[in-house]
Amino acid sequence: MSGWIETMRRVSWLWLLVALLATASAQQAPLMLVYQERVPPENPENDPNLPIQTSLTQFLKEIRKVRIEWYRPDHPIAQQVFAQHNLTPSQREQPNRTLLSQVARAIHATYLLTIRCTNGKQGHIEYTCTLWQLGQRQPIWQSEGIQQVTTETSKNALPSLLRTLVMRMDQEVFQSLPALPETPPPPVANPSAPSVSPKDDPRSQIESLLREGRVQEAIAPLRTLVTREPMNLTYRLQLIQVYRQLGMQAHAYQAADDALRLFPEEETLLALWATLLRTQRPLDEAIPALQQQIQAHPTASALHLSLFDMLLEAGRLEEAQATLEPLQRTLSPEIRWRLYLLEGATRQYRPKGDTMRAESEQASLWWRIVSGAFTDLANEILDLRRLANDPAPNWKQLRERSEALVQQVLAFGQWVGRMQPDTTLQKSYQHLRFGCQLLGQSAQLMARFLLSKNNEEAERAAILRIEALRELESAQPN
């Protein structure tokens, strides 16, 4: 009997050990391999590549979502990968993405981040940042552009840019990843100081509440941390995000406005402030307020992009185009997206163009542009039918208009087809694409009617037009 009891005890300890190992594994953040792409210097004494490793590592550690491993040719595991491929020293120092992916897999990384950050010739910082998830062919996130540098911002321009990139990755890619518990600082020898229970620590409370989905209850401890550490930008951004998640836009706007007084050059805050401004004021008030902020921060590209969005929404197309022109020096994804929107708003569709990807939050303005163009094209079909019923119609002019309409509808359908929505918009997008097909068929039947004067084709065109408008109605996001 005693032997059986001892065996069961050992089994119990074994299961406990397995459980502890599983818990430790679950709490381990995914690993990310980071590689700085370097531009060969024209002059050895003037290296354009900026030192980013220290600051970028610090900011990535602050979000506590991923573990960081920088690419090093002398890393033992990297050396094993090199040995399998007989690589030259140059290939090891400047690896391509295939080699980087192989090293990332060898160290069991989940993500691969490549970043290039250089001094431009015009006194600005040029950057390209691409995030890959191993196993996927396309990058899951990327950003590129120019950070203007002035005399006043030269000291903090690079850290501000790197912090902004990390904050964007956290909000746009790593938002669903749980944050690991913060590493506590070493205890200070003070026997008389009262001990703080973990459950009374606001940071522990926030992590627990957000993990359990009790977002509303996380506001109080977040406010406590903001009051206790007013210069900690992470807590302020987290509070703003919580407000937005709960639909408390006025509180989020006020929190962003308060944070900007302490961090006036942070582009992440400026972008949030501009986004929230639109929720608090009508366009005729929001646009002047944003223009005033741009005067104080003329190099903040996020403000210029928000101004473009507002001007486009207000139908002030020439002003929107003028706002975008200075930013087109680098065709970043943000710029390409807005050039795509401008095509739709001005009805000047290019025959070919880049495929666009947009999240549901970015698509609201796109839907407004699509709805307006779709409705106008449908009304043009109806107008052709009305003019054809006049006592003395100008058939030549109507045929020319119908031919131009067919081309416009087809170009519009191709423009819509360049959009790649996220999963939340897929169903709506399918209705829209089908509606575009019906609208194209309706326009073609109307053109054939104006040639043949066969009323049956006009009736079929009218039916397809109505069906197309029904698909547009079904496509509208909730």
Short mmCIF file of all heavy atoms in Angstrom, two decimals, residues 168-214:
data_model
loop_
_atom_site.label_atom_id
_atom_site.label_comp_id
_atom_site.label_asym_id
_atom_site.label_seq_id
_atom_site.Cartn_x
_atom_site.Cartn_y
_atom_site.Cartn_z
N ARG A 168 2.01 52.23 -33.23
CA ARG A 168 1.12 51.81 -34.32
C ARG A 168 1.09 50.29 -34.45
O ARG A 168 0.04 49.70 -34.66
CB ARG A 168 1.58 52.46 -35.63
CG ARG A 168 1.26 53.95 -35.75
CD ARG A 168 1.62 54.46 -37.11
NE ARG A 168 0.97 53.68 -38.15
CZ ARG A 168 1.38 53.61 -39.41
NH1 ARG A 168 2.46 54.28 -39.79
NH2 ARG A 168 0.74 52.88 -40.29
N MET A 169 2.25 49.66 -34.35
CA MET A 169 2.28 48.19 -34.39
C MET A 169 1.45 47.60 -33.26
O MET A 169 0.72 46.63 -33.44
CB MET A 169 3.72 47.69 -34.32
CG MET A 169 4.45 47.66 -35.64
SD MET A 169 6.04 46.81 -35.54
CE MET A 169 7.05 48.08 -34.81
N ASP A 170 1.56 48.21 -32.09
CA ASP A 170 0.82 47.70 -30.93
C ASP A 170 -0.68 47.82 -31.15
O ASP A 170 -1.44 46.89 -30.87
CB ASP A 170 1.24 48.49 -29.68
CG ASP A 170 0.61 47.93 -28.41
OD1 ASP A 170 0.31 46.72 -28.37
OD2 ASP A 170 0.43 48.70 -27.45
N GLN A 171 -1.13 48.97 -31.70
CA GLN A 171 -2.56 49.21 -31.87
C GLN A 171 -3.13 48.48 -33.08
O GLN A 171 -4.28 48.05 -33.07
CB GLN A 171 -2.81 50.71 -32.02
CG GLN A 171 -2.50 51.51 -30.75
CD GLN A 171 -2.70 53.00 -30.95
OE1 GLN A 171 -3.14 53.44 -32.01
NE2 GLN A 171 -2.36 53.78 -29.95
N GLU A 172 -2.33 48.30 -34.15
CA GLU A 172 -2.85 47.77 -35.40
C GLU A 172 -2.57 46.28 -35.60
O GLU A 172 -3.25 45.63 -36.40
CB GLU A 172 -2.27 48.57 -36.58
CG GLU A 172 -2.63 50.05 -36.54
CD GLU A 172 -1.89 50.86 -37.58
OE1 GLU A 172 -1.36 50.26 -38.54
OE2 GLU A 172 -1.81 52.10 -37.44
N VAL A 173 -1.55 45.74 -34.90
CA VAL A 173 -1.18 44.34 -35.10
C VAL A 173 -1.23 43.54 -33.81
O VAL A 173 -1.80 42.45 -33.75
CB VAL A 173 0.24 44.22 -35.72
CG1 VAL A 173 0.59 42.76 -35.97
CG2 VAL A 173 0.33 45.01 -37.01
N PHE A 174 -0.64 44.08 -32.75
CA PHE A 174 -0.48 43.33 -31.51
C PHE A 174 -1.59 43.59 -30.50
O PHE A 174 -1.47 43.20 -29.34
CB PHE A 174 0.87 43.67 -30.86
CG PHE A 174 2.06 43.36 -31.71
CD1 PHE A 174 3.13 44.23 -31.77
CD2 PHE A 174 2.12 42.20 -32.47
CE1 PHE A 174 4.24 43.95 -32.54
CE2 PHE A 174 3.20 41.92 -33.26
CZ PHE A 174 4.28 42.79 -33.30
N GLN A 175 -2.67 44.25 -30.92
CA GLN A 175 -3.72 44.64 -29.99
C GLN A 175 -4.33 43.43 -29.28
O GLN A 175 -4.67 43.49 -28.10
CB GLN A 175 -4.80 45.43 -30.72
CG GLN A 175 -5.87 46.01 -29.80
CD GLN A 175 -6.87 46.85 -30.58
OE1 GLN A 175 -6.91 46.80 -31.79
NE2 GLN A 175 -7.66 47.64 -29.87
N SER A 176 -4.45 42.31 -29.98
CA SER A 176 -5.10 41.14 -29.39
C SER A 176 -4.14 40.30 -28.54
O SER A 176 -4.59 39.41 -27.82
CB SER A 176 -5.68 40.25 -30.50
OG SER A 176 -4.65 39.80 -31.37
N LEU A 177 -2.84 40.60 -28.60
CA LEU A 177 -1.89 39.83 -27.81
C LEU A 177 -1.93 40.28 -26.36
O LEU A 177 -1.99 41.48 -26.07
CB LEU A 177 -0.46 40.01 -28.35
CG LEU A 177 -0.16 39.43 -29.73
CD1 LEU A 177 1.30 39.70 -30.10
CD2 LEU A 177 -0.43 37.93 -29.76
N PRO A 178 -1.91 39.36 -25.41
CA PRO A 178 -1.90 39.77 -23.99
C PRO A 178 -0.56 40.38 -23.61
O PRO A 178 0.49 39.94 -24.08
CB PRO A 178 -2.14 38.44 -23.25
CG PRO A 178 -1.62 37.39 -24.18
CD PRO A 178 -1.87 37.89 -25.57
N ALA A 179 -0.60 41.41 -22.79
CA ALA A 179 0.63 42.03 -22.29
C ALA A 179 1.17 41.22 -21.12
O ALA A 179 0.42 40.85 -20.21
CB ALA A 179 0.36 43.47 -21.88
N LEU A 180 2.45 40.95 -21.15
CA LEU A 180 3.05 40.21 -20.05
C LEU A 180 3.15 41.08 -18.81
O LEU A 180 3.23 42.32 -18.91
CB LEU A 180 4.45 39.74 -20.45
CG LEU A 180 4.50 38.65 -21.53
CD1 LEU A 180 5.94 38.28 -21.81
CD2 LEU A 180 3.73 37.42 -21.09
N PRO A 181 3.12 40.48 -17.62
CA PRO A 181 3.28 41.28 -16.40
C PRO A 181 4.58 42.06 -16.44
O PRO A 181 5.61 41.57 -16.91
CB PRO A 181 3.29 40.21 -15.29
CG PRO A 181 2.61 39.04 -15.88
CD PRO A 181 2.92 39.06 -17.34
N GLU A 182 4.52 43.29 -15.96
CA GLU A 182 5.70 44.14 -15.97
C GLU A 182 6.71 43.62 -14.97
O GLU A 182 6.37 43.21 -13.87
CB GLU A 182 5.29 45.57 -15.62
CG GLU A 182 6.33 46.59 -15.99
CD GLU A 182 5.76 48.00 -15.89
OE1 GLU A 182 4.63 48.14 -15.41
OE2 GLU A 182 6.46 48.94 -16.29
N THR A 183 7.98 43.62 -15.36
CA THR A 183 9.04 43.16 -14.46
C THR A 183 9.18 44.16 -13.33
O THR A 183 9.44 45.35 -13.56
CB THR A 183 10.38 43.05 -15.21
OG1 THR A 183 10.21 42.19 -16.31
CG2 THR A 183 11.46 42.53 -14.28
N PRO A 184 8.97 43.72 -12.08
CA PRO A 184 9.03 44.68 -10.98
C PRO A 184 10.46 45.15 -10.76
O PRO A 184 11.42 44.42 -10.97
CB PRO A 184 8.53 43.86 -9.78
CG PRO A 184 8.85 42.44 -10.14
CD PRO A 184 8.73 42.35 -11.63
N PRO A 185 10.64 46.42 -10.33
CA PRO A 185 11.98 46.92 -10.03
C PRO A 185 12.52 46.25 -8.78
O PRO A 185 11.77 45.72 -7.97
CB PRO A 185 11.75 48.42 -9.81
CG PRO A 185 10.33 48.52 -9.37
CD PRO A 185 9.59 47.44 -10.07
N PRO A 186 13.85 46.24 -8.61
CA PRO A 186 14.42 45.62 -7.41
C PRO A 186 13.93 46.33 -6.16
O PRO A 186 13.79 47.55 -6.14
CB PRO A 186 15.93 45.81 -7.61
CG PRO A 186 16.07 46.91 -8.61
CD PRO A 186 14.88 46.80 -9.49
N PRO A 187 13.62 45.58 -5.10
CA PRO A 187 13.07 46.19 -3.89
C PRO A 187 14.09 47.10 -3.22
O PRO A 187 15.30 46.84 -3.23
CB PRO A 187 12.74 44.98 -3.01
CG PRO A 187 13.63 43.89 -3.51
CD PRO A 187 13.79 44.13 -4.98
N VAL A 188 13.60 48.20 -2.69
CA VAL A 188 14.43 49.14 -1.95
C VAL A 188 14.42 48.74 -0.49
O VAL A 188 13.36 48.46 0.09
CB VAL A 188 13.91 50.58 -2.12
CG1 VAL A 188 14.77 51.55 -1.34
CG2 VAL A 188 13.87 50.95 -3.59
N ALA A 189 15.60 48.70 0.09
CA ALA A 189 15.71 48.29 1.49
C ALA A 189 15.11 49.36 2.39
O ALA A 189 15.72 50.39 2.66
CB ALA A 189 17.18 48.06 1.86
N ASN A 190 13.89 49.15 2.80
CA ASN A 190 13.20 50.08 3.69
C ASN A 190 12.23 49.28 4.53
O ASN A 190 11.05 49.15 4.16
CB ASN A 190 12.48 51.16 2.87
CG ASN A 190 11.84 52.21 3.77
OD1 ASN A 190 12.03 52.20 4.99
ND2 ASN A 190 11.07 53.13 3.18
N PRO A 191 12.68 48.73 5.65
CA PRO A 191 11.83 47.85 6.46
C PRO A 191 10.57 48.52 6.95
O PRO A 191 9.56 47.87 7.18
CB PRO A 191 12.74 47.45 7.63
CG PRO A 191 14.13 47.77 7.18
CD PRO A 191 14.02 48.89 6.23
N SER A 192 10.62 49.86 7.12
CA SER A 192 9.45 50.53 7.68
C SER A 192 8.36 50.78 6.65
O SER A 192 7.24 51.11 7.00
CB SER A 192 9.87 51.88 8.29
OG SER A 192 10.43 52.71 7.29
N ALA A 193 8.71 50.64 5.33
CA ALA A 193 7.71 50.92 4.29
C ALA A 193 6.67 49.81 4.25
O ALA A 193 7.02 48.63 4.29
CB ALA A 193 8.39 51.03 2.93
N PRO A 194 5.40 50.14 4.18
CA PRO A 194 4.36 49.12 4.14
C PRO A 194 4.39 48.38 2.81
O PRO A 194 4.65 48.97 1.77
CB PRO A 194 3.06 49.92 4.30
CG PRO A 194 3.39 51.29 3.80
CD PRO A 194 4.83 51.51 4.15
N SER A 195 4.16 47.11 2.82
CA SER A 195 4.14 46.30 1.61
C SER A 195 2.83 46.52 0.87
O SER A 195 1.79 46.74 1.47
CB SER A 195 4.28 44.81 1.95
OG SER A 195 3.23 44.41 2.80
N VAL A 196 2.93 46.48 -0.46
CA VAL A 196 1.76 46.69 -1.31
C VAL A 196 1.32 45.35 -1.86
O VAL A 196 2.10 44.62 -2.48
CB VAL A 196 2.07 47.66 -2.47
CG1 VAL A 196 0.86 47.83 -3.37
CG2 VAL A 196 2.54 48.99 -1.93
N SER A 197 0.07 45.02 -1.63
CA SER A 197 -0.47 43.77 -2.14
C SER A 197 -0.61 43.87 -3.65
O SER A 197 -1.01 44.91 -4.18
CB SER A 197 -1.83 43.49 -1.51
OG SER A 197 -2.45 42.41 -2.15
N PRO A 198 -0.27 42.80 -4.41
CA PRO A 198 -0.42 42.84 -5.87
C PRO A 198 -1.82 43.22 -6.32
O PRO A 198 -1.99 43.88 -7.33
CB PRO A 198 -0.06 41.41 -6.29
CG PRO A 198 0.81 40.89 -5.20
CD PRO A 198 0.29 41.53 -3.95
N LYS A 199 -2.82 42.82 -5.55
CA LYS A 199 -4.19 43.15 -5.97
C LYS A 199 -4.51 44.62 -5.83
O LYS A 199 -5.47 45.12 -6.40
CB LYS A 199 -5.19 42.31 -5.18
CG LYS A 199 -5.27 42.66 -3.70
CD LYS A 199 -6.32 41.81 -2.99
CE LYS A 199 -6.43 42.18 -1.51
NZ LYS A 199 -7.46 41.39 -0.83
N ASP A 200 -3.67 45.36 -5.00
CA ASP A 200 -3.87 46.80 -4.86
C ASP A 200 -3.04 47.60 -5.84
O ASP A 200 -3.16 48.82 -5.89
CB ASP A 200 -3.52 47.23 -3.43
CG ASP A 200 -4.44 46.58 -2.39
OD1 ASP A 200 -5.61 46.36 -2.73
OD2 ASP A 200 -3.97 46.30 -1.27
N ASP A 201 -2.16 46.94 -6.61
CA ASP A 201 -1.33 47.63 -7.59
C ASP A 201 -2.19 47.93 -8.82
O ASP A 201 -2.72 47.01 -9.45
CB ASP A 201 -0.15 46.74 -7.97
CG ASP A 201 0.78 47.43 -8.96
OD1 ASP A 201 0.57 48.62 -9.25
OD2 ASP A 201 1.72 46.76 -9.44
N PRO A 202 -2.32 49.23 -9.22
CA PRO A 202 -3.18 49.56 -10.37
C PRO A 202 -2.77 48.85 -11.65
O PRO A 202 -3.62 48.46 -12.45
CB PRO A 202 -3.01 51.08 -10.50
CG PRO A 202 -2.60 51.54 -9.15
CD PRO A 202 -1.77 50.42 -8.58
N ARG A 203 -1.46 48.62 -11.85
CA ARG A 203 -1.02 47.96 -13.08
C ARG A 203 -1.53 46.53 -13.14
O ARG A 203 -1.99 46.06 -14.18
CB ARG A 203 0.51 48.00 -13.17
CG ARG A 203 1.06 49.38 -13.47
CD ARG A 203 2.56 49.43 -13.33
NE ARG A 203 2.99 49.13 -11.97
CZ ARG A 203 4.24 49.29 -11.53
NH1 ARG A 203 5.18 49.71 -12.36
NH2 ARG A 203 4.56 49.02 -10.29
N SER A 204 -1.47 45.83 -12.00
CA SER A 204 -1.98 44.46 -11.96
C SER A 204 -3.49 44.45 -12.16
O SER A 204 -4.04 43.57 -12.82
CB SER A 204 -1.61 43.80 -10.64
OG SER A 204 -0.21 43.74 -10.48
N GLN A 205 -4.16 45.44 -11.58
CA GLN A 205 -5.62 45.52 -11.72
C GLN A 205 -6.00 45.71 -13.20
O GLN A 205 -6.93 45.07 -13.70
CB GLN A 205 -6.17 46.67 -10.89
CG GLN A 205 -6.02 46.48 -9.39
CD GLN A 205 -6.51 47.71 -8.63
OE1 GLN A 205 -7.19 48.56 -9.18
NE2 GLN A 205 -6.14 47.79 -7.37
N ILE A 206 -5.28 46.60 -13.89
CA ILE A 206 -5.61 46.88 -15.29
C ILE A 206 -5.45 45.64 -16.14
O ILE A 206 -6.34 45.29 -16.94
CB ILE A 206 -4.71 48.02 -15.82
CG1 ILE A 206 -5.05 49.33 -15.11
CG2 ILE A 206 -4.88 48.18 -17.33
CD1 ILE A 206 -4.03 50.42 -15.32
N GLU A 207 -4.32 44.96 -15.98
CA GLU A 207 -4.08 43.75 -16.78
C GLU A 207 -5.16 42.70 -16.53
O GLU A 207 -5.65 42.07 -17.47
CB GLU A 207 -2.70 43.19 -16.44
CG GLU A 207 -1.56 44.09 -16.90
CD GLU A 207 -0.24 43.69 -16.29
OE1 GLU A 207 -0.22 42.70 -15.53
OE2 GLU A 207 0.77 44.37 -16.54
N SER A 208 -5.53 42.54 -15.27
CA SER A 208 -6.55 41.55 -14.93
C SER A 208 -7.91 41.93 -15.50
O SER A 208 -8.61 41.10 -16.09
CB SER A 208 -6.63 41.38 -13.41
OG SER A 208 -7.67 40.50 -13.05
N LEU A 209 -8.27 43.20 -15.36
CA LEU A 209 -9.59 43.65 -15.82
C LEU A 209 -9.71 43.56 -17.35
O LEU A 209 -10.73 43.12 -17.87
CB LEU A 209 -9.83 45.09 -15.36
CG LEU A 209 -10.01 45.29 -13.85
CD1 LEU A 209 -9.98 46.77 -13.50
CD2 LEU A 209 -11.32 44.67 -13.38
N LEU A 210 -8.67 43.99 -18.06
CA LEU A 210 -8.72 43.94 -19.52
C LEU A 210 -8.72 42.50 -20.01
O LEU A 210 -9.39 42.17 -21.00
CB LEU A 210 -7.54 44.70 -20.11
CG LEU A 210 -7.54 46.22 -19.88
CD1 LEU A 210 -6.31 46.86 -20.51
CD2 LEU A 210 -8.80 46.87 -20.42
N ARG A 211 -7.99 41.64 -19.33
CA ARG A 211 -7.96 40.23 -19.72
C ARG A 211 -9.32 39.58 -19.55
O ARG A 211 -9.72 38.70 -20.32
CB ARG A 211 -6.90 39.50 -18.87
CG ARG A 211 -6.63 38.07 -19.32
CD ARG A 211 -5.37 37.52 -18.69
NE ARG A 211 -5.36 37.67 -17.25
CZ ARG A 211 -4.53 38.46 -16.56
NH1 ARG A 211 -3.64 39.18 -17.22
NH2 ARG A 211 -4.57 38.53 -15.25
N GLU A 212 -10.07 40.04 -18.55
CA GLU A 212 -11.39 39.48 -18.27
C GLU A 212 -12.51 40.21 -19.01
O GLU A 212 -13.68 39.87 -18.85
CB GLU A 212 -11.67 39.52 -16.77
CG GLU A 212 -10.70 38.67 -15.95
CD GLU A 212 -10.85 38.90 -14.45
OE1 GLU A 212 -11.81 39.62 -14.05
OE2 GLU A 212 -10.03 38.38 -13.68
N GLY A 213 -12.14 41.21 -19.82
CA GLY A 213 -13.14 41.95 -20.58
C GLY A 213 -13.90 42.98 -19.78
O GLY A 213 -14.90 43.53 -20.26
N ARG A 214 -13.43 43.31 -18.60
CA ARG A 214 -14.10 44.32 -17.74
C ARG A 214 -13.46 45.68 -18.02
O ARG A 214 -12.80 46.29 -17.17
CB ARG A 214 -13.96 43.91 -16.29
CG ARG A 214 -14.66 42.58 -15.97
CD ARG A 214 -14.07 41.88 -14.77
NE ARG A 214 -14.21 42.66 -13.55
CZ ARG A 214 -13.66 42.33 -12.38
NH1 ARG A 214 -12.93 41.21 -12.30
NH2 ARG A 214 -13.82 43.09 -11.32
#
